[in-house]
Amino acid sequence: MPVVTKQQPEDEGLVARMQSGDFDAFEEFFNTYKRPVYTTALAITRDPFLAEEILQDCFVKAYRVRQRLRTDCSPLPWLQRVTTNLCYSRIARRRAVAEPLTALISNLVADLTSRPDQIAESREIIEVLQRGIDALPPKQQTAVILYYLHGYSLAEAAEIAECNVGTMKSRLHYALKALRALLPAERRAPAGAAKVSTGEL
Amino acid sequence: MSCRRARREILEHFRFRQELGPSSSAHLEHLVGCADCREEVGIDRALVEQLRRALQERVEGHAPSAAAWDQVRQRTIDRPSRPLGARVLQWGRLFPAAIAGVLMFAIATVSQEGLSQGSQSPQPAGQVQQLDTAAAVDDTPDWEPPWWMKYRTRPPVPTIAGGPMAAQLPDMLGTSADMPPVSGRLQ
């Protein structure tokens, strides 16, 4: 999903028109950016209803502060920032009562070890990763979603997360390290994909 | 090239979609000859692929509902701007609480000042001399300070007049024995 934070042709004048009171411009603004905002909210919350609430809250906020939005660059980084903040403020309480991750992982790993190798790439592995993503610290989780789901570049993800590129790299590194540690050694890679061929280099 | 360095740099290339340039020939040579590093890099690549799948599964098949825009519109464009009177009225709900707070502060301040004035009771000396002592004594009720004032009064100054050290005091101070007994507060 190509996402860029630089001004796109369709962005030109959109925020300015909103600021001048053009209601159609706000609808266009909503339709242009609803998808990435909703995707981020859904990836973090995993709850379609909550994600839609956050989507609405994000655009209501954008409308209220439209006079302060910059017109010389894409509003998407700002929208993504607001979205992640809304998500983590909403799910803070749910995290506190979440089931301990270690127990879940232990159960899944116990099941996995009793099954043949061909299911290494199965639902259980993905489920372990899903739980692992949920358990990541918010900053690492945001980095993973921005970089690996949205496909932002390091610079763009860093801009959204309001950090420098080195920090973004560090967050991604620690996130992958944490996710990899959750998987049992023999299940860290699907069968046949564990070795990189030198030809790919 | 060590395995540690090769893994770190190659993993960074793969993770961050960086191009392998001519300077990567050393990495390539290392990978060709090191099965452990090939496996390590392969595992990491597989993890990233699985991570992408896991993330994609979170959002697949979902989209904002058609009613989302209507909801946003109702909360923004269609929302009637509240007149000034309504906003004043909203803040006006806090007015009784504000008045109560001011009153409580005023009462507390006045009572504190009254207490402090009553305990000092400065009066001119002449006026005190004109009072009829007996009548004053008769009219004065048996007043006892409240419990909280007992702890605020100054503790009594110990008197050494007539005490066991009284006779030795002149010698200790190097003064004559005619010195009047020391008593009362020190100036």
Side-chain angles (χ1 to χ4, degrees):
Chain A
M1 183 185 300
V3 181
V4 290
T5 58
K6 297 290 181 291
Q7 190 85 4
Q8 293 294 290
E10 63 267 27
D11 293 342
E12 287 178 4
L14 198 53
V15 174
R17 282 166 54 206
M18 278 172 57
Q19 290 173 343
S20 65
D22 185 346
F23 295 151
D24 292 338
F26 182 51
E27 184 171 2
E28 193 179 335
F29 178 83
F30 177 82
N31 288 326
T32 302
Y33 299 112
K34 67 180 179 183
R35 188 77 196 194
V37 167
Y38 179 78
T39 300
T40 299
L42 186 59
I44 294 175
T45 63
R46 299 179 72 183
D47 181 340
F49 297 103
L50 185 56
E52 182 135 334
E53 279 183 26
I54 290 167
L55 169 78
Q56 293 177 19
D57 290 351
C58 180
F59 280 94
V60 168
K61 183 165 186 176
Y63 183 80
R64 286 179 183 159
V65 303
R66 62 190 182 280
Q67 298 298 342
R68 284 185 275 154
L69 290 177
R70 289 176 59 180
T71 55
D72 59 338
C73 61
S74 171
L76 192 53
W78 182 86
L79 287 169
Q80 294 283 29
R81 207 153 42 233
V82 171
T83 303
T84 53
N85 289 338
L86 287 171
C87 287
Y88 290 117
S89 64
R90 293 287 185 90
I91 63 176
R93 284 180 58 198
R94 293 201 315 185
R95 274 181 183 279
V97 297
E99 189 175 355
L101 180 68
T102 48
L104 290 166
I105 296 297
S106 300
N107 294 337
L108 288 168
V109 168
D111 289 338
L112 282 174
T113 52
S114 64
R115 299 177 69 173
D117 286 340
Q118 64 263 25
I119 62 163
E121 204 180 0
S122 66
R123 296 292 319 153
E124 285 87 346
I125 290 286
I126 297 295
E127 191 58 33
V128 169
L129 281 177
Q130 299 284 20
R131 303 282 185 183
I133 295 166
D134 285 340
L136 287 175
K139 287 178 179 174
Q140 290 179 21
Q141 195 182 50
T142 302
V144 163
I145 288 170
L146 293 175
Y147 189 74
Y148 288 117
L149 176 63
H150 282 286
Y152 287 109
S153 69
L154 281 173
E156 290 163 349
E159 182 189 354
I160 292 169
E162 292 184 301
C163 64
N164 57 43
V165 172
T167 305
M168 180 54 63
K169 273 187 180 181
S170 173
R171 288 176 186 174
L172 289 169
H173 168 76
Y174 283 109
L176 288 177
K177 190 176 177 184
L179 292 174
R180 185 168 169 174
L182 292 175
L183 300 177
E186 68 273 22
R187 303 293 181 188
R188 284 175 186 165
K195 292 187 179 181
V196 65
S197 67
T198 53
E200 292 179 68
L201 297 173
Chain B
M1 177 177 285
S2 68
C3 287
R4 183 189 176 95
R5 181 184 164 194
R7 288 180 189 182
R8 188 184 67 240
E9 295 179 359
I10 292 171
L11 288 181
E12 185 159 323
H13 278 294
F14 280 126
R15 286 179 179 176
F16 303 128
R17 300 191 291 261
Q18 293 171 345
E19 295 295 328
L20 291 171
S23 63
S24 301
S25 57
H27 301 90
L28 180 62
E29 287 175 12
H30 182 88
L31 275 187
V32 169
C34 181
D36 287 344
C37 282
R38 282 204 302 274
E39 184 169 353
E40 181 74 12
V41 173
I43 287 173
D44 198 79
R45 290 188 64 190
L47 174 66
V48 169
E49 287 171 14
Q50 289 170 332
L51 175 61
R52 288 185 199 276
R53 279 183 53 198
L55 288 168
Q56 200 60 42
E57 279 190 9
R58 290 182 168 219
V59 297
E60 268 178 356
H62 295 284
S65 72
W69 165 245
D70 294 333
Q71 297 282 340
V72 171
R73 186 183 173 94
Q74 282 177 10
R75 293 171 61 184
T76 52
I77 297 170
D78 294 344
R79 188 180 186 185
S81 60
R82 290 185 306 164
L84 181 64
R87 277 177 279 174
V88 170
L89 191 63
Q90 183 188 10
W91 287 104
R93 291 175 188 168
L94 298 176
F95 190 70
I99 292 293
V102 170
L103 280 175
M104 286 176 67
F105 178 76
I107 290 169
T109 306
V110 168
S111 62
Q112 186 69 24
E113 286 180 356
L115 282 174
S116 60
Q117 284 179 359
S119 61
Q120 290 174 1
S121 59
Q123 289 185 357
Q127 190 178 350
V128 174
Q129 289 175 356
Q130 292 173 1
L131 291 176
D132 183 354
T133 308
V137 169
D138 292 340
D139 293 339
T140 303
D142 293 331
W143 183 82
E144 287 191 1
W147 65 270
W148 53 270
M149 282 190 69
K150 289 178 183 175
Y151 299 102
R152 295 183 64 183
T153 52
R154 184 178 296 175
V157 177
T159 304
I160 59 174
M165 294 181 64
Q168 300 173 10
L169 189 63
D171 295 335
M172 291 168 64
L173 297 174
T175 56
S176 69
D178 298 335
M179 191 179 120
V182 178
S183 65
R185 297 181 180 179
L186 299 174
Q187 297 297 318

